[in-house]
Amino acid sequence: MNKRVIWLIVFFSVLIWSAIGPKDQFTWFLEVLPALIALPVLFLTRNRFPMSPLAYLLILIHCVILMVGGHYTYAEVPLFDLISQLVDGDRNNYDKVGHLAQGFVPVILAREIFIRRAVVKPGHWCNFLAVCFALAFSAFYELIEWWVALLTGEDAEAFLGTQGYIWDTQSDMGMALLGATLSILLLSRLHDRQINQLTKSTL
């Protein structure tokens, strides 16, 4: 079966599940909106700027994380409630998984665009700037959460997912920075190989 078809089957299967009886409809919409935006962007660029298999896979994983968080709200994902109980914790930490992915995934997308568009040469500076982009993206998302909270008041509480933690915003950005750094360390060589193969195939 075509990889694109498998990608779409997974995406829409999780999206439909997520949309059925979510904990809060408004929170669901806010959480899955980035995934809904990503889908047409990927469709429109699939021929003009096809990305590496790694990038597409990471985008799909990130979308699934968003959809699960949207269904339950980030503060009430059952598995992470269980984990919290097992470790005698006082909060559901699924939101930290989401923010880890918020660095882990965008850093690869930034890196791919930087290299393939010849914005910066591959190497340490490319990796550093890609991490900077991921951290800036995370900070901008925190601003979006703040603006949504100002506009909607109490309705945004589940979207913010602070759970009473005063350093939630800072720790969210810290997790994104950690995710971006780990992604560079773990995936940059694989990413380089896939970019080289993609470049050769489009010549």
Side-chain angles (χ1 to χ4, degrees):
M1 187 180 293
N2 187 285
K3 291 181 180 179
R4 286 182 179 177
V5 173
I6 296 174
W7 196 101
L8 289 169
I9 289 173
V10 174
F11 182 95
F12 281 107
S13 296
V14 180
L15 178 63
I16 292 168
W17 164 83
S18 177
I20 298 173
K23 180 74 176 181
D24 180 87
Q25 195 70 47
F26 179 65
T27 301
W28 176 84
F29 174 74
L30 292 175
E31 298 294 2
V32 303
L33 183 59
L36 297 178
I37 293 172
L39 184 64
V41 171
L42 294 177
F43 177 79
L44 292 172
T45 60
R46 71 192 188 284
N47 294 322
R48 186 172 71 251
F49 191 77
M51 302 195 77
S52 64
L54 176 62
Y56 283 125
L57 175 61
L58 290 177
I59 291 170
L60 180 59
I61 292 171
H62 199 179
C63 289
V64 169
I65 291 172
L66 293 172
M67 292 171 191
V68 172
H71 182 80
Y72 292 111
T73 77
Y74 277 82
E76 300 185 40
V77 174
L79 175 60
F80 282 76
D81 275 341
L82 177 61
I83 293 173
S84 180
Q85 293 171 9
L86 292 174
V87 300
D88 199 26
D90 56 359
R91 78 187 305 275
N92 186 306
N93 283 310
Y94 184 76
D95 65 318
K96 301 309 174 192
V97 174
H99 285 282
L100 187 76
Q102 199 177 69
F104 199 92
V105 178
V107 74
I108 293 296
L109 305 184
R111 191 174 184 274
E112 183 150 336
I113 293 170
F114 289 168
I115 294 172
R116 292 178 59 197
R117 291 299 187 190
V119 177
V120 61
K121 293 180 180 179
H124 296 309
W125 275 108
C126 178
N127 292 339
F128 172 73
L129 292 173
V131 170
C132 289
F133 172 86
L135 187 56
F137 178 80
S138 175
F140 181 67
Y141 196 82
E142 294 298 326
L143 290 175
I144 292 174
E145 288 185 343
W146 174 42
W147 296 332
V148 169
L150 290 177
L151 290 172
T152 61
E154 292 182 1
D155 289 340
E157 178 62 30
F159 177 57
L160 291 172
T162 59
Q163 302 179 64
Y165 181 41
I166 62 171
W167 303 113
D168 185 71
T169 298
Q170 291 81 359
S171 66
D172 286 348
M173 289 187 288
M175 290 300 291
L177 176 59
L178 175 61
T181 304
L182 287 174
S183 187
I184 290 294
L185 292 174
L186 296 174
L187 300 177
S188 57
R189 290 185 179 179
L190 171 62
H191 194 216
D192 285 340
R193 290 197 298 271
Q194 291 193 357
I195 289 176
N196 290 333
Q197 291 171 359
L198 190 59
T199 303
K200 290 176 182 178
S201 66
T202 55
L203 290 178

